[in-house]
């Protein structure tokens, strides 16, 4: 007589796959929409300048998109709670991609600015919705690593799209590039059906700026904003601060920053899951402050390249660490709020930093202005250290 015994199957959380089919499709959507954005980031200003709108029009196009994104980010959590991920992310893809086709018809400044505003709204929906969804679908004990992988999907389009967009204008022209940018975003619609129809909890905290006292969210929000201030300044003013005959140096420096940021974001996520994001945040800020401070020596080739590389490391790590820290401190009902707050710090710091720096540099010159930028990041080290358990 043979007896059999059943061996119980035990689920081991550590064995959970990080990149599931659903997560992979989300990453594909993020990559395509990011490529759509970055292909036109430098091209739209060129398009306006070529059409006679000059530097003022070029600056307004970037400002219109960023201000639109900041405004819409405040309402995305409410949209997610009401309509769910499929509808909201699909709307974001359409708003980011489809208006690019309008640029085939006209270079009129008011219409181009309207296109930038609509695309900014689409961008806001996608970044807030995607980050919140990553927090939902990733295993909680591997959340930092998940944000690191997400960071690669977000960072690669910048590395590819920023130089490629400008290069392609000489090969295929503006019109073909506008179509390519539209397709890159709209292609993501095929992945929408794989996204959850609704959020995972019924009661969502939809007020982005509500209930912040005692939530543990204010410190990482302000710390990250300090770093994004420096990020916006470096990308905007480094090309202006360096002599025109050294534009290849600027391209190299910005490329190093664009490459190191997503790599550091991924590595920071892996280690944050093991030792906690709070312990790594202060060192990341030190890297960012050192990188920003190196630009004081704006006449040195080594200082520019090394400084941009150090800043890229600190900036990328700070992106992951602040985001992971914020999600670790809230229940699922506040995931949308965290995503909106973090993206507000990103876009708001980027825009405000560029505006203030432009006013300061007129009176101080570039070296001192870059030194003040580094000081802003360095000051953020204090609350990061004080938050350690």
């Amino acid at each position: 007589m043979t007896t059999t015994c059943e061996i119980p199957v035990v689920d081991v959380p550590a064995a959970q796959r990080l990149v599931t089919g659903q997560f992979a499709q989300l990453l594909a959507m993020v990559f395509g929409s990011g490529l759509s954005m970055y292909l036109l980031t430098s091209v739209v200003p060129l398009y306006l300048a070529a059409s006679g709108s000059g530097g003022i029009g070029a600056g307004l196009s970037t400002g219109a998109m960023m201000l639109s994104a900041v405004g819409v980010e405040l309402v995305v959590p409410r949209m997610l709670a009401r309509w769910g991920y499929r509808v909201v992310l699909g709307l974001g893809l359409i708003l980011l991609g489809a208006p690019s086709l309008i640029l085939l018809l006209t270079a009129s400044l008011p219409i181009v600015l309207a296109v930038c505003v609509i695309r900014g709204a689409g961008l806001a929906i996608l970044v807030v919705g995607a980050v919140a969804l990553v927090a939902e679908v990733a295993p909680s004990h591997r959340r930092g690593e998940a944000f690191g992988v997400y960071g690669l999907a977000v960072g690669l389009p910048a590395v590819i799209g920023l130089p490629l967009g400008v290069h392609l204008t000489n090969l295929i022209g503006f019109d073909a590039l506008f179509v390519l940018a539209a397709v890159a975003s709209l292609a993501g619609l095929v992945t929408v059906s794989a996204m959850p129809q609704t959020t995972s909890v019924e009661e969502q905290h939809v007020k982005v700026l509500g209930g912040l006292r005692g939530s543990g969210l204010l410190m990482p929000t302000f710390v990250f904003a300090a770093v994004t201030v420096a990020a916006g300044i470096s990308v905007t003013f480094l090309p202006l601060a360096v002599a025109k005959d050294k534009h290849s140096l600027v391209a190299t420096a910005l490329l190093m920053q664009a490459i190191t940021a997503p790599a550091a974001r991924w590595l920071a996520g892996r280690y944050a899951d093991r030792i906690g994001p709070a312990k790594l945040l202060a060192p990341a800020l030190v890297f960012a402050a050192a990188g920003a401070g190196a630009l004081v020596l704006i006449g040195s080739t080594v200082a520019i390249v090394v400084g941009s590389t150090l800043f890229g490391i600190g900036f990328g790590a700070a992106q992951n660490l602040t985001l992971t820290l914020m999600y670790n401190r809230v229940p699922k009902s506040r995931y949308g709020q965290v995503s909106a707050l973090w993206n507000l710090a990103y876009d708001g710091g980027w825009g405000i930093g560029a505006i203030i720096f432009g006013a300061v540099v007129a009176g101080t010159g570039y070296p001192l202005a870059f030194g003040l930028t580094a000081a802003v990041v360095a000051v953020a080290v204090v609350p990061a250290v004080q938050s350690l358990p």
Side-chain angles (χ1 to χ4, degrees):
M1 181 176 181
T2 303
T3 60
T4 60
C5 62
E6 295 184 359
I7 300 175
V9 177
V10 179
D11 291 328
V12 181
Q16 287 180 314
R17 277 185 6 181
L18 181 63
V19 181
T20 61
Q22 184 182 60
F23 192 14
Q25 293 194 62
L26 175 61
L27 294 175
M29 176 196 298
V30 167
F31 179 85
S33 60
L35 189 61
S36 175
M37 172 195 168
Y38 286 112
L39 279 173
L40 299 189
T41 296
S42 298
V43 168
V44 169
L46 287 175
Y47 182 57
L48 286 170
S51 304
S53 294
I56 293 177
L60 285 175
S61 66
T62 301
M65 187 168 185
M66 298 304 286
L67 289 175
S68 173
V70 169
V72 174
E73 282 163 359
L74 290 169
V75 299
V76 176
R78 190 178 297 276
M79 295 169 66
L80 290 172
R82 183 167 184 177
W83 296 313
Y85 285 110
R86 288 184 190 174
V87 172
V88 174
L89 290 175
L91 176 63
L93 291 167
I94 293 171
L95 293 179
L96 179 64
S100 303
L101 300 176
I102 297 175
L103 301 178
L104 296 171
L105 306 176
T106 180
S108 168
L109 180 59
I111 295 178
V112 173
L113 292 180
V115 167
C116 292
V117 168
I118 297 171
R119 296 188 79 231
L123 175 66
I125 290 171
L126 289 167
V127 294
V128 174
V131 169
L133 186 52
V134 170
E136 283 207 24
V137 302
S140 60
H141 62 286
R142 300 183 70 184
R143 184 176 292 146
E145 186 178 1
F147 284 135
V149 174
Y150 169 80
L152 290 174
V154 172
L156 285 176
V159 176
I160 298 170
L162 284 173
L164 184 62
V166 176
H167 180 64
L168 287 179
T169 58
N170 299 320
L171 295 180
I172 63 177
F174 287 113
D175 287 355
L177 194 57
F178 295 149
V179 173
L180 181 61
V183 171
S185 181
L186 295 176
L189 290 172
V190 302
T191 68
V192 169
S193 61
M195 303 302 117
Q197 188 163 355
T198 60
T199 56
S200 63
V201 290
E202 294 183 4
E203 292 295 326
Q204 288 284 327
H205 185 98
V206 296
K207 294 182 178 179
V208 174
L209 302 179
L212 292 178
R213 182 175 297 179
S215 65
L217 299 178
L218 286 176
M219 183 281 291
T221 299
F222 285 120
V223 163
F224 184 52
V227 183
T228 61
V229 162
I233 287 170
S234 66
V235 172
T236 304
F237 291 96
L238 187 59
L240 302 178
V242 177
K244 290 183 178 180
D245 60 347
K246 294 185 177 180
H247 276 183
S248 60
L249 169 61
V250 175
T252 300
L254 293 180
L255 180 62
M256 291 303 299
Q257 181 174 316
I259 291 173
T260 53
R265 189 171 178 175
W266 173 66
L267 284 172
R270 284 185 62 88
Y271 285 102
D273 287 337
R274 301 173 187 177
I275 65 176
K279 295 180 180 179
L280 297 173
L281 184 55
L285 296 175
V286 170
F287 271 98
L295 297 182
V296 170
L297 304 173
I298 197 63
S300 168
T301 298
V302 174
I304 292 173
V305 175
V306 173
S308 296
T309 301
L310 289 175
F311 183 77
I313 294 171
F315 178 47
Q319 288 180 65
N320 192 309
L321 298 170
T322 52
L323 189 58
T324 304
L325 191 62
M326 292 168 75
Y327 274 112
N328 287 350
R329 291 179 172 181
V330 299
K332 280 191 172 184
S333 61
R334 302 185 75 159
Y335 279 6
Q337 181 191 27
V338 166
S339 181
L341 274 176
W342 188 84
N343 281 289
L344 280 171
Y346 196 124
D347 297 336
W350 192 289
I352 291 171
I355 292 171
I356 295 177
F357 189 92
V360 170
V361 75
T364 66
Y366 283 106
L368 181 54
F370 281 125
L372 293 174
T373 301
V376 170
V377 182
V379 168
V381 175
V382 176
V385 172
Q386 290 177 340
S387 70
L388 289 171

